[in-house]
Amino acid sequence: MKHKLRFAAVLLFLPLIFSPLLAQEGEEMQDGLLAEMQIEPPPQAVITVAEDMPNDGGHKLTVRWEFPKEFTSSVVRFEVYRAYSPDGEFVLRGESPNDFYEYLDIGDREEESPNYMPNDSSYYYKIVAVGTEGVSSESEVGGPYKTYGQWFHTGKVPLLIAVILFCIFTIYFVLSAKGGKELYIRPLAGIEAVDEAIGRATEMGKPILYVLGIGTAAEIATIASFTILGRVAKKVAEYQTSLIVPCYEPIVMSVAQDIVRSAYLEAGRPDQYDEDSVFFVTNAQFAYVAGVNGIMVRDLPATNFYLGYFAAESLLLAETGNAIGAIQIAGTDQVSQLPFFVVACDYTLIGEELYAASAYLGRDPLLLGSLKAEDWAKGILMVLMVLIILAVLLGWDAPREWIRVNL
Amino acid sequence: MTRRQLATYIFFGVVVILFAISVALKGFFVTFGAFLTLAIFSFLYDDNPYYKFAEHLFVGVSAAYWMCMGFWGTMVPNLFGRLYPPMVGPVIPALKDNPSDPFMLIPLILGIMLLMRLSSKAGWISRWALAFVVGTTAGLNLVRYLRSDFIQQISSTAMPLYVTNSAGFSLGETISNIVIFIGVMCGLIYFFFSKEHKGAFGAGARAGVIVLMITFGASFGYTVMARISLLVGRMQYLLDSWLGMIG
Amino acid sequence: MKRRVPLMMVFVVSLFMVVQNFVPLDEWNWIYQFLLDWTMIIGILSLLLGMWSLWKVHTQKIKRKSENYGYSFITLSGLILMLIFGFFPGSGGIENYWYRSFFYYIMVPIQATMFSLLAFFIASAAFRAFRARSVMATLLLLAALVIMVRFVPMGPLSPIVSDAAGWILKVPNLAAKRAIIIGVGLGAVATALKVMLGIERSYLGRD
């Protein structure tokens, strides 16, 4: 019995002892077989074209090639090589799956980049079909193919049409306003209240605080706010109240100084203008809030204006203003801050109303003309949306695609 | 000395001792950070000398902070580094061999023009620089807003009003899409300025205001939670980083 | 000269910015990048104007011994110290210990605390909204309430509230935001166009 067991154990181990030898022998046999079989490489791919990618500066080429479909299974992938001359060094650019005969070669625009692909240059390509058995075949060299930069981005046609249409509208209405045509503009609650709010401050003998927000001087909301500031400052000068304009941005500050000075001049009280009434606080968001809140609780303005670009500080300002019992008129184009102004202020100019208020207060027919153009654009947009939706309801999806802008 | 004054002095003394202990144990800066945090919180009660101190310090330090950041982060690499690269070699060695770019003289000149406004006689020249900045941004904004705020919004609002999915007709989604469409329309009517809000037009505008108010409420409610988490973060600083009471 | 040159400059620069959006050519992009870099540099240089204003306001407060003028010393010391640390010779600027400590232990805590004050302010604003009397304010409040309590367990009511909240956020919220954004977009485009054409020129002052 004991012997039988030992014999069985030896039998079990034997294959293990000989296995490396067996494996080696197997490989040799296989190599021999392969040599005998002479495995065929896959057929060559044939480069048909390499097209310049449209709508760019000329740093992309789409390479296309043909390959017999029946051999798809014998190929693992295609490798795409590129060179600057037919006999130059071909560099691997990328790979494409075995059933996809196209590759987008994307280069960089920057000269310093290792992937730099200059525009207006010729390129040569080679496609290598890598076979399943590790054997591959190279295509003939294709080329020269050129890259070009385009003068116009065709994907932006809807945008161009919109720009042109809008310019035509604006210029038309501005010109007709200039011609003396009366334009109706609906009253805006916040703006109607401006005079009353300034009057109240005068009666109480308290200052008026005007906050231009934390946008730059070129921010649209800030520009709208500048016009309103001009009007407010003029009234302030007439009523002989004092004005405080703490600024977040130095350029905004210097523009605001100009505007307030001009307003005092217009009101016929240039001597009353206090240069220190418009000043810089700091351009750190919360430090600015801390500073303005400090001004509020110490100088106790009767009326606060918050018009311009605002972020998280909106509520900190508006609540502090509310706590000191000031009348507050706010306006911003920042959707996320509007709720806070609506809750904490007496009047809020919502989004576009801020721009409208600036035109309204400016009383300049030219500015009002553009407001009319905006309304027309809105009207056209509404009609357009209805038409598109009707088309979609009728099962015609194409118009939705037309208005897409390729970025 | 009244009792109230005495109580104030005692309170002040205790606070000073507590902070002195904290300085000894935790170091000056951590304690000072905690003091400033409490000083800002004290504004919730009323304006007071502690808040005034923190506020004034913050204003001064932050103004200088951004000046330095702007200088080292923008002026050195983008102006000096391109105007005369060897100059910034000691700070940014990677730039020192770049060719110099005389075009960068233009912003320098424009910047100096802007500073000319400090002079009462040549102040007008600062408008040139201003015009450059405003012009660049205006052109940029014109296309940017038209694309992102106008055309893209139309294409996303123009959704099918009759929605079917894998299970067939979807009543819920259909209603939602119709409400979105009508909501956008009414909102837009509200923003009409050159037409009186009367009759059917006025009704549309009123519906627009209703949708706006619901939205403002929703945004408000949504933000409440986010703000409370900020407060929790500050409390953690006081309790953990300063007093070491957590974990 | 005082007004015409700036207005022409605005027109030319902004026209370029509009047109370049449609032209993908490298040369145009190169100029575009340049213009953006320039505005950034002008922006930083303008900070000197701000520094000057800050300095003037506070030194004058001290000179005139206005109310709370003592605190102006604190602002000025903060400013000067931070500038000295920021331009510390030989340390490569902002990498030195003091500059970083001032940032981490003065600016960061105050900034974060100011931001966290919002939690209290939003609560007081909400409280005021609760006493709302107009129909519109009540609507606002109701919507806010639904959103705020959407995660609060309320037994069988919970799924209804959470569905309602989800719907408000997805449907009317989206509609109104879109209307605002479209309006703002149009207004912004119109303002930009007015600036380009020189109709809107309040930013240039009047004299």
Side-chain angles (χ1 to χ4, degrees):
Chain A
M1 187 64 189
K2 217 175 179 181
H3 290 285
K4 268 188 188 171
L5 265 176
R6 201 173 290 163
F7 182 67
V10 170
L11 269 183
L12 252 172
F13 278 104
L14 260 179
L16 289 177
I17 295 165
F18 287 104
S19 61
L21 291 172
L22 280 174
Q24 209 175 341
E25 204 170 312
E27 272 170 33
E28 275 166 21
M29 267 175 70
Q30 210 175 355
D31 284 350
L33 266 173
L34 274 175
E36 271 173 49
M37 280 167 69
Q38 275 193 341
I39 287 187
E40 291 274 326
Q44 279 181 327
V46 179
I47 297 179
T48 49
V49 71
E51 281 173 343
D52 174 55
M53 176 86 172
N55 300 330
D56 76 336
H59 307 280
K60 293 176 197 141
L61 273 169
T62 312
V63 193
R64 293 198 182 88
W65 57 90
E66 280 171 356
F67 188 77
K69 279 219 165 62
E70 59 273 28
F71 288 95
T72 304
S73 56
S74 66
V75 179
V76 191
R77 62 177 184 272
F78 294 104
E79 288 176 351
V80 180
Y81 290 83
R82 187 185 74 197
Y84 291 108
S85 66
D87 41 7
E89 186 199 347
F90 277 85
V91 180
L92 177 65
R93 295 293 304 159
E95 292 171 358
S96 165
N98 65 348
D99 53 350
F100 195 68
Y101 310 139
E102 195 179 297
Y103 178 75
L104 175 61
D105 189 4
I106 302 174
D108 277 344
R109 166 162 72 196
E110 291 76 26
E111 247 171 277
E112 345 27 289
S113 160
N115 191 22
Y116 177 51
M117 196 171 165
N119 60 2
D120 279 325
S121 305
S122 297
Y123 296 97
Y124 295 84
Y125 282 92
K126 212 154 68 176
I127 307 295
V128 172
V130 180
T132 42
E133 306 290 349
V135 200
S136 48
S137 65
E138 259 184 38
S139 73
E140 302 279 325
V141 173
Y145 299 115
K146 277 197 86 169
T147 52
Y148 304 95
Q150 276 76 35
W151 273 95
F152 181 69
H153 193 304
T154 50
K156 290 184 179 173
V157 172
L159 187 62
L160 183 69
I161 294 174
V163 170
I164 293 173
L165 271 183
F166 196 72
C167 287
I168 292 174
F169 277 147
T170 309
I171 293 169
Y172 171 75
F173 284 107
V174 164
L175 286 180
S176 66
K178 218 175 174 179
K181 207 171 161 189
E182 194 63 29
L183 294 173
Y184 168 82
I185 299 293
R186 78 163 159 90
L188 291 163
I191 287 312
E192 305 274 289
V194 166
D195 288 358
E196 177 204 322
I198 299 173
R200 180 175 176 257
T202 315
E203 277 168 26
M204 294 169 78
K206 286 181 172 180
I208 286 164
L209 178 78
Y210 196 106
V211 179
L212 285 145
I214 61 163
T216 62
E219 195 79 45
I220 305 285
T222 316
I223 291 178
S225 187
F226 282 147
T227 316
I228 303 176
L229 172 66
R231 165 85 176 178
V232 169
K234 197 177 159 197
K235 273 267 170 262
V236 165
E238 283 166 7
Y239 285 33
Q240 302 197 29
T241 314
S242 63
L243 180 69
I244 310 171
V245 188
C247 298
Y248 172 81
E249 225 249 1
I251 301 184
V252 170
M253 171 199 77
S254 56
V255 174
Q257 282 172 344
D258 273 355
I259 289 173
V260 174
R261 190 189 305 119
S262 315
Y264 272 79
L265 201 72
E266 245 176 80
R269 292 200 167 85
D271 50 311
Q272 302 249 318
Y273 170 64
D274 174 14
E275 214 189 45
D276 297 335
S277 61
V278 185
F279 55 93
F280 175 74
V281 179
T282 173
N283 57 336
Q285 189 188 7
F286 288 104
Y288 176 72
V289 185
V292 176
N293 278 354
I295 292 169
M296 270 194 234
V297 292
R298 277 156 235 155
D299 294 346
L300 298 170
T303 305
N304 295 341
F305 289 93
Y306 312 109
L307 301 166
Y309 174 92
F310 287 89
E313 70 284 350
S314 62
L315 187 65
L316 288 173
L317 294 170
E319 270 299 299
T320 310
N322 206 303
I324 59 162
I327 284 200
Q328 307 204 87
I329 300 176
T332 185
D333 55 1
Q334 294 306 299
V335 182
S336 54
Q337 302 310 319
L338 279 167
F340 306 121
F341 278 148
V342 169
V343 170
C345 295
D346 300 280
Y347 302 96
T348 306
L349 296 166
I350 300 165
E352 201 187 354
E353 284 184 320
L354 172 66
Y355 311 139
S358 115
Y360 189 80
L361 275 182
R363 300 265 188 234
D364 184 347
L366 297 183
L367 294 176
L368 291 176
S370 81
L371 214 50
K372 186 94 183 160
E374 281 171 49
D375 278 1
W376 265 86
K378 253 172 277 170
I380 289 184
L381 176 132
M382 288 165 77
V383 173
L384 208 68
M385 280 207 288
V386 171
L387 288 179
I388 293 172
I389 281 188
L390 280 179
V392 172
L393 265 182
L394 296 172
W396 188 35
D397 264 336
R400 279 185 81 194
E401 293 304 316
W402 294 343
I403 52 168
R404 274 189 214 291
V405 178
N406 297 318
L407 306 174
Chain B
M1 194 184 281
T2 62
R3 274 174 81 170
R4 198 191 148 103
Q5 269 175 326
L6 186 70
T8 313
Y9 285 131
I10 291 173
F11 175 73
F12 189 74
V14 170
V15 170
V16 168
I17 292 168
L18 276 177
F19 274 101
I21 295 170
S22 166
V23 169
L25 292 176
K26 285 279 176 180
F28 172 74
F29 275 121
V30 172
T31 310
F32 194 49
F35 163 74
L36 292 172
T37 301
L38 291 172
I40 293 291
F41 274 137
S42 72
F43 183 70
L44 288 169
Y45 174 66
D46 201 359
D47 191 28
N48 62 72
Y50 300 106
Y51 176 77
K52 283 183 205 164
F53 172 81
E55 173 213 318
H56 281 83
L57 183 67
F58 191 23
V59 166
V61 169
S62 65
Y65 173 80
W66 286 110
M67 182 76 233
C68 299
M69 289 305 274
F71 181 81
W72 294 106
T74 304
M75 300 289 278
V76 169
N78 285 329
L79 183 68
F80 304 128
R82 283 159 78 177
L83 213 51
Y84 187 62
M87 190 162 76
V88 301
V91 193
I92 313 172
L95 292 180
K96 92 172 176 272
D97 297 324
N98 284 358
S100 82
D101 190 344
F103 281 112
M104 296 314 282
L105 272 175
I106 299 174
L108 184 64
I109 294 169
L110 286 170
I112 292 169
M113 279 180 168
L114 193 72
L115 297 180
M116 295 289 275
R117 64 167 297 112
L118 292 176
S119 133
S120 54
K121 272 189 191 152
W124 59 271
I125 208 157
S126 69
R127 286 182 188 159
W128 291 24
L130 188 65
F132 176 82
V133 174
V134 171
T136 316
T137 321
L140 205 62
N141 279 339
L142 192 132
V143 184
R144 196 187 71 189
Y145 278 102
L146 209 53
R147 185 175 63 203
S148 65
D149 285 9
F150 193 70
I151 298 181
Q152 270 175 7
Q153 297 299 331
I154 319 176
S155 59
S156 33
T157 307
M159 290 178 300
L161 293 191
Y162 178 85
V163 188
T164 48
N165 52 24
S166 53
F169 173 67
S170 162
L171 181 67
E173 279 180 62
T174 302
I175 293 177
S176 293
N177 281 7
I178 292 175
V179 173
I180 290 179
F181 178 67
I182 295 175
V184 173
M185 288 293 177
C186 293
L188 284 176
I189 289 175
Y190 173 76
F191 286 116
F192 263 82
F193 298 104
S194 59
K195 200 165 160 49
E196 237 176 312
H197 287 178
K198 268 187 184 167
F201 203 75
R206 259 194 304 285
V209 179
I210 290 175
V211 182
L212 285 177
M213 285 302 149
I214 293 176
T215 301
F216 292 152
S219 292
F220 190 90
Y222 197 77
T223 323
V224 170
M225 293 299 165
R227 296 295 175 257
I228 286 172
S229 70
L230 285 172
L231 182 63
V232 172
R234 265 306 72 197
M235 289 302 158
Q236 265 172 351
Y237 174 82
L238 286 180
L239 298 178
D240 187 19
S241 301
W242 184 40
L243 299 176
M245 281 166 62
I246 302 174
Chain C
M1 188 73 166
K2 287 185 180 178
R3 291 188 75 95
R4 191 162 287 180
V5 176
L7 287 175
M8 269 165 58
M9 208 150 137
V10 166
F11 181 72
V12 172
V13 179
S14 56
L15 189 68
F16 172 81
M17 289 309 256
V18 172
V19 175
Q20 71 81 28
N21 195 279
F22 298 98
V23 184
L25 286 182
D26 282 356
E27 294 76 6
W28 288 62
N29 192 278
W30 185 77
I31 303 175
Y32 164 78
Q33 287 297 341
F34 247 111
L35 293 184
L36 289 188
D37 285 351
W38 292 356
T39 49
M40 207 163 66
I41 288 167
I42 297 171
I44 301 290
L45 279 168
S46 77
L47 284 179
L48 290 172
L49 278 182
M51 295 283 132
W52 171 248
S53 168
L54 188 68
W55 179 263
K56 218 175 79 180
V57 167
H58 287 281
T59 45
Q60 262 170 14
K61 262 192 189 169
I62 295 171
K63 244 187 250 166
R64 288 182 195 157
K65 294 211 167 20
S66 332
E67 206 183 338
N68 289 320
Y69 76 95
Y71 294 99
S72 292
F73 282 114
I74 293 164
T75 300
L76 293 179
S77 352
L79 181 79
I80 295 168
L81 279 177
M82 198 64 170
L83 281 177
I84 292 174
F85 299 147
F87 291 100
F88 213 62
S91 64
I94 49 187
E95 287 305 313
N96 69 70
Y97 168 78
W98 289 97
Y99 185 83
R100 290 165 70 97
S101 299
F102 263 51
F103 173 68
Y104 283 117
Y105 297 104
I106 295 179
M107 276 188 68
V108 172
I110 302 186
Q111 198 162 303
T113 313
M114 282 301 297
F115 202 4
S116 72
L117 283 184
L118 273 174
F120 296 100
F121 282 38
I122 208 167
S124 68
F127 178 70
R128 194 151 352 87
F130 275 110
R131 296 178 306 176
R133 300 223 170 87
S134 76
V135 181
M136 290 303 166
T138 313
L139 265 177
L140 188 147
L141 171 72
L142 280 178
L145 262 182
V146 172
I147 303 295
M148 280 195 294
V149 301
R150 70 192 190 283
F151 296 130
V152 178
M154 285 182 292
L157 271 180
S158 279
I160 302 170
V161 172
S162 115
D163 280 355
W167 190 80
I168 290 177
L169 285 175
K170 252 193 278 170
V171 180
N173 183 39
L174 188 73
K177 279 193 174 152
R178 248 180 217 159
I180 298 175
I181 289 174
I182 291 174
V184 163
L186 271 179
V189 174
T191 311
L193 198 61
K194 284 185 283 186
V195 169
M196 267 181 87
L197 299 175
I199 298 170
E200 169 73 80
R201 49 174 87 171
S202 59
Y203 64 92
L204 286 178
R206 254 166 234 188
D207 49 317

